[in-house]
Amino acid sequence: MAQVEVKYTQIFINNEWHDSISGKTFETINPFTEEKLANVQEGDKADIDRAVAAAVDAFRFDSPWRQMDASQRGHLLYRLADLIERDQDYIASLESMDNGKPKTMALFDVDLAIKVFRYYAGYADKIHGKTIPAVFAFTRIEPVGICGQIVPWNFPFLMASWKFGPALCAGNTVVLKPAEQTPLSALYLASLTKEVGFPPGVVNVVPGFGETAGAALVDNPKVDKIAFTGSTEIGKLIMRNGSHSMKRITLELGGKSPLVVTENVEDIAQAARTAQDSCFLNMGQCCCAGTRTFVHESIYDEFVKHSVEYCQSHVFGNPFDSKTAFGPQVDKTQMNRILEMIESGKQEGARCVAGGNRMDKRGYFVEPTVFADVTDGMRIAREEIFGPVQQILKYKTLDEVIERCNDTNYGLGSAILTNDINEAMKFSRSIRAGSVWINIPYMIPVSVQTPFGGFKESGVGRELGEDGLRGYGEIKTVVIMDREKKM
Ligand code: ADP
């Protein structure tokens, strides 16, 4: 079905395509067919250093990029959004082949990416400081400089847009390393930045592995900032390794987000569907997935029954089929990790009421899985699974469930389904998480205007919205002597 040609597999530096200096390549696999999709040039330290040198050059104070009028920067971003819109079908197909997600979902991601670029395009000429009259001074908000950006495989194109949008809006230069599982859509995005007319060196994309290319980006002293989305484990490593050159670091990391279903929901079957969609979206490969479903004891049994019914209704199969809601997991390693976590749930005494196995078919498919009678101490209730595995826990009072929701090192998302505004307000102020979603259909930031990020070990800084620009600017204070005025 509608496979598309892979057009770019090389390293993108200075608006040119390069083979890796080492001569090495790596395979990217289609997780639906389990077959090789393409050989991609494997960047490592030498290629990263070359890309960083290009980004440094493009950031010189007298470079075309630094001299560019801010409105023109915005215009380039608008044009980039237009080209993505022109090619959205191709990009979504490429993403679907590389990642395994249903094409309908990939189209949704691309649409969000277009919105991200348009949002930040409009901001490019509205970034300004303050005048401070006490002494005569003003502040300028200047770009941070060279931004190393490292993205994961669950939303490859969308995450690249979250990184490029604010960074380019604010006048930075970037070196992006896509995830090794899914390098193709970011390379295509790089080709569009060239077509739009970004000056050479402003955008660079180096595919490669985390321990080599990613680590080299974090180590390079010329890189001023690292923006990372990925696991908490690697986020901690990056924070340590980036500290030697005092890099600005923003991190969007893992989560074990709670979703609370109160006794005040009108329709229990609908609540069960909403909760499961919040957990299973993108085959459960969402950092903010609502994986801990807390259900009030008075509706627990009925809720579990509806959850099982809904779980058995999901259509899985070829990502290119418009009816498919579930594709495969991104790769064999992830699939095996999920199966291991499912096994631990069974071992620890949770009741597996739906799914629980690898699907008996080609592709890295895991059955959508629901566990009932889950208790707080179980591994499946504490560790991120990153797959279609829902944990349903029982609670009695709102105060008790708030305590339990907060009893985690993570703090990314949280949600409540209720018809009681007081309950919703209490929950929203008591939860220690970067987002609280009240009666929403999915736990995923679908709005570019609202900031997204984590409390605690779920991250540092915010992406999207006006707050998403903060991590890409440095404040410079300029003071002018007024000889007539006493200081
Ligand atoms: P996951 O376990 O879900 O694959 P990771 O946090 O390992 O998530 O990966 C997210 C991104 O971080 C990927 O682009 C990966 O290549 C990169 N990465 C992995 N290890 C490192 C590292 N040591 N330094 C920098 N980047 C890394």
Side-chain angles (χ1 to χ4, degrees), residues 150-153 177-181 208-218 228-235 237-238 241 253 334 337 384 386:
I150 302 174
V151 290
W153 46 260
K177 194 205 80 66
E180 48 271 42
Q181 297 88 341
F209 289 86
E211 318 82 75
T212 49
L217 199 50
V218 178
F228 170 78
T229 301
S231 61
T232 293
E233 182 196 348
I234 302 297
L237 189 73
I238 287 177
N241 293 349
L253 308 174
Q334 286 299 324
R337 266 187 209 167
E384 196 171 28
F386 234 67

PDB file of all heavy atoms in Angstrom, residues 150-153 177-181 208-218 228-235 237-238 241 253 334 337 384 386, ligand 1:
ATOM      1  N   ILE A 150      18.119  17.203  20.591  1.00  0.00           N
ATOM      2  CA  ILE A 150      18.096  15.732  20.518  1.00  0.00           C
ATOM      3  C   ILE A 150      16.663  15.277  20.720  1.00  0.00           C
ATOM      4  O   ILE A 150      16.038  15.627  21.730  1.00  0.00           O
ATOM      5  CB  ILE A 150      19.026  15.134  21.602  1.00  0.00           C
ATOM      6  CG1 ILE A 150      20.459  15.650  21.410  1.00  0.00           C
ATOM      7  CG2 ILE A 150      18.990  13.604  21.554  1.00  0.00           C
ATOM      8  CD1 ILE A 150      21.433  15.244  22.500  1.00  0.00           C
ATOM      9  N   VAL A 151      16.139  14.545  19.752  1.00  0.00           N
ATOM     10  CA  VAL A 151      14.709  14.188  19.805  1.00  0.00           C
ATOM     11  C   VAL A 151      14.508  12.667  19.786  1.00  0.00           C
ATOM     12  O   VAL A 151      15.368  11.922  19.324  1.00  0.00           O
ATOM     13  CB  VAL A 151      13.916  14.861  18.658  1.00  0.00           C
ATOM     14  CG1 VAL A 151      13.817  16.360  18.880  1.00  0.00           C
ATOM     15  CG2 VAL A 151      14.504  14.553  17.304  1.00  0.00           C
ATOM     16  N   PRO A 152      13.354  12.227  20.272  1.00  0.00           N
ATOM     17  CA  PRO A 152      13.068  10.791  20.351  1.00  0.00           C
ATOM     18  C   PRO A 152      12.309  10.295  19.120  1.00  0.00           C
ATOM     19  O   PRO A 152      12.056  11.054  18.181  1.00  0.00           O
ATOM     20  CB  PRO A 152      12.183  10.713  21.591  1.00  0.00           C
ATOM     21  CG  PRO A 152      11.408  11.993  21.566  1.00  0.00           C
ATOM     22  CD  PRO A 152      12.289  13.025  20.922  1.00  0.00           C
ATOM     23  N   TRP A 153      11.893   9.031  19.185  1.00  0.00           N
ATOM     24  CA  TRP A 153      11.305   8.374  18.022  1.00  0.00           C
ATOM     25  C   TRP A 153       9.787   8.329  18.027  1.00  0.00           C
ATOM     26  O   TRP A 153       9.176   7.876  17.086  1.00  0.00           O
ATOM     27  CB  TRP A 153      11.850   6.944  17.909  1.00  0.00           C
ATOM     28  CG  TRP A 153      11.830   6.207  19.230  1.00  0.00           C
ATOM     29  CD1 TRP A 153      12.895   6.030  20.066  1.00  0.00           C
ATOM     30  CD2 TRP A 153      10.697   5.624  19.897  1.00  0.00           C
ATOM     31  NE1 TRP A 153      12.498   5.360  21.209  1.00  0.00           N
ATOM     32  CE2 TRP A 153      11.148   5.097  21.129  1.00  0.00           C
ATOM     33  CE3 TRP A 153       9.349   5.492  19.566  1.00  0.00           C
ATOM     34  CZ2 TRP A 153      10.306   4.464  22.025  1.00  0.00           C
ATOM     35  CZ3 TRP A 153       8.497   4.860  20.475  1.00  0.00           C
ATOM     36  CH2 TRP A 153       8.989   4.356  21.679  1.00  0.00           C
ATOM     37  N   LYS A 177      19.828  16.144  16.293  1.00  0.00           N
ATOM     38  CA  LYS A 177      20.067  14.716  16.119  1.00  0.00           C
ATOM     39  C   LYS A 177      18.756  13.965  16.304  1.00  0.00           C
ATOM     40  O   LYS A 177      18.225  13.900  17.417  1.00  0.00           O
ATOM     41  CB  LYS A 177      21.103  14.178  17.120  1.00  0.00           C
ATOM     42  CG  LYS A 177      21.566  12.795  16.696  1.00  0.00           C
ATOM     43  CD  LYS A 177      22.083  11.940  17.817  1.00  0.00           C
ATOM     44  CE  LYS A 177      21.030  11.287  18.639  1.00  0.00           C
ATOM     45  NZ  LYS A 177      20.193  10.273  17.944  1.00  0.00           N
ATOM     46  N   PRO A 178      18.244  13.407  15.204  1.00  0.00           N
ATOM     47  CA  PRO A 178      17.009  12.618  15.351  1.00  0.00           C
ATOM     48  C   PRO A 178      17.308  11.278  16.013  1.00  0.00           C
ATOM     49  O   PRO A 178      18.479  10.860  16.102  1.00  0.00           O
ATOM     50  CB  PRO A 178      16.540  12.424  13.914  1.00  0.00           C
ATOM     51  CG  PRO A 178      17.720  12.685  13.039  1.00  0.00           C
ATOM     52  CD  PRO A 178      18.732  13.464  13.829  1.00  0.00           C
ATOM     53  N   ALA A 179      16.277  10.583  16.451  1.00  0.00           N
ATOM     54  CA  ALA A 179      16.467   9.258  17.053  1.00  0.00           C
ATOM     55  C   ALA A 179      16.920   8.267  15.978  1.00  0.00           C
ATOM     56  O   ALA A 179      16.501   8.367  14.820  1.00  0.00           O
ATOM     57  CB  ALA A 179      15.170   8.791  17.690  1.00  0.00           C
ATOM     58  N   GLU A 180      17.737   7.327  16.369  1.00  0.00           N
ATOM     59  CA  GLU A 180      18.297   6.356  15.409  1.00  0.00           C
ATOM     60  C   GLU A 180      17.219   5.469  14.798  1.00  0.00           C
ATOM     61  O   GLU A 180      17.362   4.957  13.699  1.00  0.00           O
ATOM     62  CB  GLU A 180      19.392   5.506  16.060  1.00  0.00           C
ATOM     63  CG  GLU A 180      19.058   4.897  17.425  1.00  0.00           C
ATOM     64  CD  GLU A 180      19.411   5.815  18.591  1.00  0.00           C
ATOM     65  OE1 GLU A 180      19.163   7.034  18.498  1.00  0.00           O
ATOM     66  OE2 GLU A 180      19.921   5.300  19.611  1.00  0.00           O
ATOM     67  N   GLN A 181      16.100   5.312  15.531  1.00  0.00           N
ATOM     68  CA  GLN A 181      15.014   4.464  15.005  1.00  0.00           C
ATOM     69  C   GLN A 181      14.248   5.164  13.882  1.00  0.00           C
ATOM     70  O   GLN A 181      13.646   4.500  13.046  1.00  0.00           O
ATOM     71  CB  GLN A 181      14.015   4.120  16.123  1.00  0.00           C
ATOM     72  CG  GLN A 181      14.571   3.308  17.268  1.00  0.00           C
ATOM     73  CD  GLN A 181      15.182   4.173  18.367  1.00  0.00           C
ATOM     74  OE1 GLN A 181      15.506   5.344  18.153  1.00  0.00           O
ATOM     75  NE2 GLN A 181      15.376   3.582  19.529  1.00  0.00           N
ATOM     76  N   GLY A 208      22.269   9.613  13.752  1.00  0.00           N
ATOM     77  CA  GLY A 208      23.300   8.797  14.397  1.00  0.00           C
ATOM     78  C   GLY A 208      22.773   8.289  15.717  1.00  0.00           C
ATOM     79  O   GLY A 208      21.605   8.527  16.067  1.00  0.00           O
ATOM     80  N   PHE A 209      23.639   7.631  16.460  1.00  0.00           N
ATOM     81  CA  PHE A 209      23.226   7.006  17.718  1.00  0.00           C
ATOM     82  C   PHE A 209      23.424   7.956  18.908  1.00  0.00           C
ATOM     83  O   PHE A 209      24.219   8.888  18.852  1.00  0.00           O
ATOM     84  CB  PHE A 209      24.006   5.705  17.937  1.00  0.00           C
ATOM     85  CG  PHE A 209      23.569   4.629  16.974  1.00  0.00           C
ATOM     86  CD1 PHE A 209      24.139   4.538  15.718  1.00  0.00           C
ATOM     87  CD2 PHE A 209      22.546   3.759  17.311  1.00  0.00           C
ATOM     88  CE1 PHE A 209      23.720   3.569  14.809  1.00  0.00           C
ATOM     89  CE2 PHE A 209      22.106   2.794  16.419  1.00  0.00           C
ATOM     90  CZ  PHE A 209      22.700   2.698  15.159  1.00  0.00           C
ATOM     91  N   GLY A 210      22.699   7.647  19.983  1.00  0.00           N
ATOM     92  CA  GLY A 210      22.744   8.501  21.161  1.00  0.00           C
ATOM     93  C   GLY A 210      24.108   8.532  21.820  1.00  0.00           C
ATOM     94  O   GLY A 210      24.637   9.603  22.129  1.00  0.00           O
ATOM     95  N   GLU A 211      24.693   7.351  22.026  1.00  0.00           N
ATOM     96  CA  GLU A 211      25.966   7.289  22.783  1.00  0.00           C
ATOM     97  C   GLU A 211      27.117   7.918  22.013  1.00  0.00           C
ATOM     98  O   GLU A 211      28.139   8.244  22.612  1.00  0.00           O
ATOM     99  CB  GLU A 211      26.374   5.845  23.100  1.00  0.00           C
ATOM    100  CG  GLU A 211      25.293   4.901  23.550  1.00  0.00           C
ATOM    101  CD  GLU A 211      24.508   4.329  22.393  1.00  0.00           C
ATOM    102  OE1 GLU A 211      25.035   3.452  21.705  1.00  0.00           O
ATOM    103  OE2 GLU A 211      23.354   4.780  22.163  1.00  0.00           O
ATOM    104  N   THR A 212      26.994   8.044  20.701  1.00  0.00           N
ATOM    105  CA  THR A 212      28.090   8.631  19.907  1.00  0.00           C
ATOM    106  C   THR A 212      27.715  10.057  19.480  1.00  0.00           C
ATOM    107  O   THR A 212      28.209  11.026  20.047  1.00  0.00           O
ATOM    108  CB  THR A 212      28.386   7.740  18.683  1.00  0.00           C
ATOM    109  OG1 THR A 212      27.143   7.455  18.021  1.00  0.00           O
ATOM    110  CG2 THR A 212      29.036   6.443  19.100  1.00  0.00           C
ATOM    111  N   ALA A 213      26.806  10.167  18.510  1.00  0.00           N
ATOM    112  CA  ALA A 213      26.458  11.498  17.988  1.00  0.00           C
ATOM    113  C   ALA A 213      25.804  12.370  19.060  1.00  0.00           C
ATOM    114  O   ALA A 213      26.167  13.541  19.244  1.00  0.00           O
ATOM    115  CB  ALA A 213      25.536  11.349  16.784  1.00  0.00           C
ATOM    116  N   GLY A 214      24.840  11.801  19.798  1.00  0.00           N
ATOM    117  CA  GLY A 214      24.139  12.579  20.825  1.00  0.00           C
ATOM    118  C   GLY A 214      25.114  13.044  21.892  1.00  0.00           C
ATOM    119  O   GLY A 214      25.135  14.228  22.268  1.00  0.00           O
ATOM    120  N   ALA A 215      25.942  12.114  22.370  1.00  0.00           N
ATOM    121  CA  ALA A 215      26.895  12.457  23.430  1.00  0.00           C
ATOM    122  C   ALA A 215      27.895  13.504  22.945  1.00  0.00           C
ATOM    123  O   ALA A 215      28.277  14.417  23.699  1.00  0.00           O
ATOM    124  CB  ALA A 215      27.620  11.197  23.902  1.00  0.00           C
ATOM    125  N   ALA A 216      28.307  13.428  21.676  1.00  0.00           N
ATOM    126  CA  ALA A 216      29.278  14.398  21.140  1.00  0.00           C
ATOM    127  C   ALA A 216      28.680  15.799  21.085  1.00  0.00           C
ATOM    128  O   ALA A 216      29.370  16.803  21.301  1.00  0.00           O
ATOM    129  CB  ALA A 216      29.737  13.958  19.746  1.00  0.00           C
ATOM    130  N   LEU A 217      27.377  15.869  20.816  1.00  0.00           N
ATOM    131  CA  LEU A 217      26.702  17.176  20.786  1.00  0.00           C
ATOM    132  C   LEU A 217      26.696  17.787  22.190  1.00  0.00           C
ATOM    133  O   LEU A 217      26.934  18.983  22.365  1.00  0.00           O
ATOM    134  CB  LEU A 217      25.274  16.950  20.272  1.00  0.00           C
ATOM    135  CG  LEU A 217      24.472  18.123  19.729  1.00  0.00           C
ATOM    136  CD1 LEU A 217      25.241  18.942  18.712  1.00  0.00           C
ATOM    137  CD2 LEU A 217      23.164  17.606  19.116  1.00  0.00           C
ATOM    138  N   VAL A 218      26.441  16.934  23.180  1.00  0.00           N
ATOM    139  CA  VAL A 218      26.409  17.413  24.569  1.00  0.00           C
ATOM    140  C   VAL A 218      27.817  17.810  25.028  1.00  0.00           C
ATOM    141  O   VAL A 218      27.993  18.776  25.773  1.00  0.00           O
ATOM    142  CB  VAL A 218      25.813  16.323  25.495  1.00  0.00           C
ATOM    143  CG1 VAL A 218      25.816  16.781  26.952  1.00  0.00           C
ATOM    144  CG2 VAL A 218      24.390  15.967  25.056  1.00  0.00           C
ATOM    145  N   PHE A 228      16.544  18.663  24.915  1.00  0.00           N
ATOM    146  CA  PHE A 228      16.448  17.210  24.795  1.00  0.00           C
ATOM    147  C   PHE A 228      15.040  16.738  25.113  1.00  0.00           C
ATOM    148  O   PHE A 228      14.431  17.192  26.086  1.00  0.00           O
ATOM    149  CB  PHE A 228      17.441  16.564  25.773  1.00  0.00           C
ATOM    150  CG  PHE A 228      17.287  15.071  25.924  1.00  0.00           C
ATOM    151  CD1 PHE A 228      17.787  14.198  24.964  1.00  0.00           C
ATOM    152  CD2 PHE A 228      16.634  14.528  27.033  1.00  0.00           C
ATOM    153  CE1 PHE A 228      17.645  12.823  25.110  1.00  0.00           C
ATOM    154  CE2 PHE A 228      16.491  13.151  27.183  1.00  0.00           C
ATOM    155  CZ  PHE A 228      16.997  12.299  26.216  1.00  0.00           C
ATOM    156  N   THR A 229      14.540  15.835  24.325  1.00  0.00           N
ATOM    157  CA  THR A 229      13.317  15.114  24.674  1.00  0.00           C
ATOM    158  C   THR A 229      13.637  13.627  24.648  1.00  0.00           C
ATOM    159  O   THR A 229      14.173  13.130  23.641  1.00  0.00           O
ATOM    160  CB  THR A 229      12.177  15.421  23.682  1.00  0.00           C
ATOM    161  OG1 THR A 229      11.923  16.820  23.695  1.00  0.00           O
ATOM    162  CG2 THR A 229      10.900  14.685  24.072  1.00  0.00           C
ATOM    163  N   GLY A 230      13.348  12.932  25.726  1.00  0.00           N
ATOM    164  CA  GLY A 230      13.649  11.501  25.780  1.00  0.00           C
ATOM    165  C   GLY A 230      13.469  10.982  27.187  1.00  0.00           C
ATOM    166  O   GLY A 230      12.699  11.541  27.986  1.00  0.00           O
ATOM    167  N   SER A 231      14.210   9.939  27.516  1.00  0.00           N
ATOM    168  CA  SER A 231      14.018   9.286  28.807  1.00  0.00           C
ATOM    169  C   SER A 231      14.647  10.096  29.947  1.00  0.00           C
ATOM    170  O   SER A 231      15.616  10.837  29.743  1.00  0.00           O
ATOM    171  CB  SER A 231      14.644   7.882  28.763  1.00  0.00           C
ATOM    172  OG  SER A 231      16.026   8.008  28.509  1.00  0.00           O
ATOM    173  N   THR A 232      14.117   9.905  31.134  1.00  0.00           N
ATOM    174  CA  THR A 232      14.664  10.582  32.318  1.00  0.00           C
ATOM    175  C   THR A 232      16.108  10.145  32.564  1.00  0.00           C
ATOM    176  O   THR A 232      16.962  10.960  32.933  1.00  0.00           O
ATOM    177  CB  THR A 232      13.761  10.293  33.535  1.00  0.00           C
ATOM    178  OG1 THR A 232      12.506  10.941  33.299  1.00  0.00           O
ATOM    179  CG2 THR A 232      14.345  10.822  34.826  1.00  0.00           C
ATOM    180  N   GLU A 233      16.375   8.885  32.324  1.00  0.00           N
ATOM    181  CA  GLU A 233      17.732   8.362  32.536  1.00  0.00           C
ATOM    182  C   GLU A 233      18.755   9.145  31.694  1.00  0.00           C
ATOM    183  O   GLU A 233      19.776   9.617  32.197  1.00  0.00           O
ATOM    184  CB  GLU A 233      17.720   6.887  32.128  1.00  0.00           C
ATOM    185  CG  GLU A 233      19.003   6.154  32.318  1.00  0.00           C
ATOM    186  CD  GLU A 233      19.005   4.840  31.520  1.00  0.00           C
ATOM    187  OE1 GLU A 233      17.932   4.432  31.019  1.00  0.00           O
ATOM    188  OE2 GLU A 233      20.098   4.260  31.393  1.00  0.00           O
ATOM    189  N   ILE A 234      18.470   9.302  30.404  1.00  0.00           N
ATOM    190  CA  ILE A 234      19.408  10.023  29.536  1.00  0.00           C
ATOM    191  C   ILE A 234      19.376  11.517  29.837  1.00  0.00           C
ATOM    192  O   ILE A 234      20.405  12.207  29.762  1.00  0.00           O
ATOM    193  CB  ILE A 234      19.097   9.752  28.036  1.00  0.00           C
ATOM    194  CG1 ILE A 234      19.172   8.248  27.734  1.00  0.00           C
ATOM    195  CG2 ILE A 234      20.051  10.519  27.128  1.00  0.00           C
ATOM    196  CD1 ILE A 234      20.528   7.606  27.924  1.00  0.00           C
ATOM    197  N   GLY A 235      18.216  12.029  30.243  1.00  0.00           N
ATOM    198  CA  GLY A 235      18.117  13.441  30.625  1.00  0.00           C
ATOM    199  C   GLY A 235      19.076  13.772  31.765  1.00  0.00           C
ATOM    200  O   GLY A 235      19.752  14.803  31.759  1.00  0.00           O
ATOM    201  N   LEU A 237      21.820  12.167  32.516  1.00  0.00           N
ATOM    202  CA  LEU A 237      23.187  12.066  31.975  1.00  0.00           C
ATOM    203  C   LEU A 237      23.553  13.357  31.247  1.00  0.00           C
ATOM    204  O   LEU A 237      24.662  13.897  31.404  1.00  0.00           O
ATOM    205  CB  LEU A 237      23.217  10.874  31.008  1.00  0.00           C
ATOM    206  CG  LEU A 237      24.557  10.435  30.469  1.00  0.00           C
ATOM    207  CD1 LEU A 237      25.330   9.727  31.571  1.00  0.00           C
ATOM    208  CD2 LEU A 237      24.352   9.470  29.284  1.00  0.00           C
ATOM    209  N   ILE A 238      22.613  13.866  30.466  1.00  0.00           N
ATOM    210  CA  ILE A 238      22.865  15.086  29.687  1.00  0.00           C
ATOM    211  C   ILE A 238      23.088  16.273  30.618  1.00  0.00           C
ATOM    212  O   ILE A 238      23.971  17.105  30.400  1.00  0.00           O
ATOM    213  CB  ILE A 238      21.697  15.321  28.701  1.00  0.00           C
ATOM    214  CG1 ILE A 238      21.799  14.302  27.565  1.00  0.00           C
ATOM    215  CG2 ILE A 238      21.674  16.754  28.176  1.00  0.00           C
ATOM    216  CD1 ILE A 238      20.707  14.342  26.548  1.00  0.00           C
ATOM    217  N   ASN A 241      26.627  15.829  31.943  1.00  0.00           N
ATOM    218  CA  ASN A 241      27.679  16.001  30.940  1.00  0.00           C
ATOM    219  C   ASN A 241      27.705  17.401  30.333  1.00  0.00           C
ATOM    220  O   ASN A 241      28.737  17.848  29.865  1.00  0.00           O
ATOM    221  CB  ASN A 241      27.527  14.954  29.825  1.00  0.00           C
ATOM    222  CG  ASN A 241      27.792  13.561  30.351  1.00  0.00           C
ATOM    223  OD1 ASN A 241      28.281  13.400  31.471  1.00  0.00           O
ATOM    224  ND2 ASN A 241      27.465  12.551  29.573  1.00  0.00           N
ATOM    225  N   LEU A 253      11.047  15.006  29.668  1.00  0.00           N
ATOM    226  CA  LEU A 253      11.417  13.619  29.968  1.00  0.00           C
ATOM    227  C   LEU A 253      10.196  12.736  30.191  1.00  0.00           C
ATOM    228  O   LEU A 253       9.127  13.012  29.689  1.00  0.00           O
ATOM    229  CB  LEU A 253      12.356  13.615  31.182  1.00  0.00           C
ATOM    230  CG  LEU A 253      13.570  14.557  31.056  1.00  0.00           C
ATOM    231  CD1 LEU A 253      14.374  14.608  32.339  1.00  0.00           C
ATOM    232  CD2 LEU A 253      14.460  14.139  29.888  1.00  0.00           C
ATOM    233  N   GLN A 334      11.862  -2.089  21.959  1.00  0.00           N
ATOM    234  CA  GLN A 334      10.746  -1.515  22.718  1.00  0.00           C
ATOM    235  C   GLN A 334       9.682  -2.569  22.970  1.00  0.00           C
ATOM    236  O   GLN A 334       9.118  -2.657  24.052  1.00  0.00           O
ATOM    237  CB  GLN A 334      10.144  -0.324  21.962  1.00  0.00           C
ATOM    238  CG  GLN A 334      11.001   0.915  21.994  1.00  0.00           C
ATOM    239  CD  GLN A 334      11.235   1.445  23.394  1.00  0.00           C
ATOM    240  OE1 GLN A 334      10.371   1.384  24.264  1.00  0.00           O
ATOM    241  NE2 GLN A 334      12.434   1.946  23.640  1.00  0.00           N
ATOM    242  N   ARG A 337      10.733  -4.763  25.742  1.00  0.00           N
ATOM    243  CA  ARG A 337      10.646  -4.061  27.040  1.00  0.00           C
ATOM    244  C   ARG A 337       9.215  -4.073  27.559  1.00  0.00           C
ATOM    245  O   ARG A 337       8.957  -4.290  28.738  1.00  0.00           O
ATOM    246  CB  ARG A 337      11.054  -2.590  26.857  1.00  0.00           C
ATOM    247  CG  ARG A 337      12.496  -2.342  27.145  1.00  0.00           C
ATOM    248  CD  ARG A 337      12.770  -0.847  27.098  1.00  0.00           C
ATOM    249  NE  ARG A 337      14.150  -0.648  26.680  1.00  0.00           N
ATOM    250  CZ  ARG A 337      14.661   0.493  26.298  1.00  0.00           C
ATOM    251  NH1 ARG A 337      13.914   1.574  26.243  1.00  0.00           N
ATOM    252  NH2 ARG A 337      15.930   0.579  25.951  1.00  0.00           N
ATOM    253  N   GLU A 384       7.788   3.735  33.839  1.00  0.00           N
ATOM    254  CA  GLU A 384       7.230   4.081  32.535  1.00  0.00           C
ATOM    255  C   GLU A 384       7.279   2.838  31.641  1.00  0.00           C
ATOM    256  O   GLU A 384       8.303   2.163  31.573  1.00  0.00           O
ATOM    257  CB  GLU A 384       8.078   5.204  31.933  1.00  0.00           C
ATOM    258  CG  GLU A 384       7.403   5.898  30.797  1.00  0.00           C
ATOM    259  CD  GLU A 384       8.147   7.153  30.340  1.00  0.00           C
ATOM    260  OE1 GLU A 384       9.381   7.218  30.506  1.00  0.00           O
ATOM    261  OE2 GLU A 384       7.477   8.053  29.816  1.00  0.00           O
ATOM    262  N   PHE A 386       5.748   2.789  28.250  1.00  0.00           N
ATOM    263  CA  PHE A 386       5.840   3.278  26.874  1.00  0.00           C
ATOM    264  C   PHE A 386       5.262   2.282  25.868  1.00  0.00           C
ATOM    265  O   PHE A 386       5.844   1.988  24.817  1.00  0.00           O
ATOM    266  CB  PHE A 386       7.297   3.628  26.524  1.00  0.00           C
ATOM    267  CG  PHE A 386       7.426   5.040  26.018  1.00  0.00           C
ATOM    268  CD1 PHE A 386       7.191   6.106  26.875  1.00  0.00           C
ATOM    269  CD2 PHE A 386       7.754   5.313  24.696  1.00  0.00           C
ATOM    270  CE1 PHE A 386       7.279   7.422  26.418  1.00  0.00           C
ATOM    271  CE2 PHE A 386       7.843   6.621  24.233  1.00  0.00           C
ATOM    272  CZ  PHE A 386       7.610   7.674  25.099  1.00  0.00           C
TER     273      PHE A 386
HETATM  274  P1  ADP B   1      14.329   5.800  24.458  1.00  0.00           P
HETATM  275  O1  ADP B   1      14.811   4.935  25.585  1.00  0.00           O
HETATM  276  O2  ADP B   1      12.873   6.006  24.507  1.00  0.00           O
HETATM  277  O3  ADP B   1      14.837   5.432  23.112  1.00  0.00           O
HETATM  278  P2  ADP B   1      16.320   7.794  24.866  1.00  0.00           P
HETATM  279  O4  ADP B   1      16.290   8.804  25.949  1.00  0.00           O
HETATM  280  O5  ADP B   1      17.313   6.702  24.960  1.00  0.00           O
HETATM  281  O6  ADP B   1      14.844   7.259  24.755  1.00  0.00           O
HETATM  282  O7  ADP B   1      16.512   8.486  23.447  1.00  0.00           O
HETATM  283  C1  ADP B   1      16.038   9.756  23.099  1.00  0.00           C
HETATM  284  C2  ADP B   1      17.085  10.448  22.244  1.00  0.00           C
HETATM  285  O8  ADP B   1      18.265  10.588  23.011  1.00  0.00           O
HETATM  286  C3  ADP B   1      17.494   9.681  20.982  1.00  0.00           C
HETATM  287  O9  ADP B   1      17.739  10.605  19.932  1.00  0.00           O
HETATM  288  C4  ADP B   1      18.789   9.015  21.404  1.00  0.00           C
HETATM  289  O10 ADP B   1      19.662   8.729  20.330  1.00  0.00           O
HETATM  290  C5  ADP B   1      19.386  10.090  22.298  1.00  0.00           C
HETATM  291  N1  ADP B   1      20.385   9.593  23.264  1.00  0.00           N
HETATM  292  C6  ADP B   1      20.477   8.355  23.814  1.00  0.00           C
HETATM  293  N2  ADP B   1      21.561   8.269  24.603  1.00  0.00           N
HETATM  294  C7  ADP B   1      22.167   9.482  24.575  1.00  0.00           C
HETATM  295  C8  ADP B   1      23.341  10.033  25.198  1.00  0.00           C
HETATM  296  N3  ADP B   1      24.108   9.304  26.006  1.00  0.00           N
HETATM  297  N4  ADP B   1      23.652  11.319  24.934  1.00  0.00           N
HETATM  298  C9  ADP B   1      22.882  12.064  24.118  1.00  0.00           C
HETATM  299  N5  ADP B   1      21.790  11.608  23.499  1.00  0.00           N
HETATM  300  C10 ADP B   1      21.424  10.334  23.715  1.00  0.00           C
END
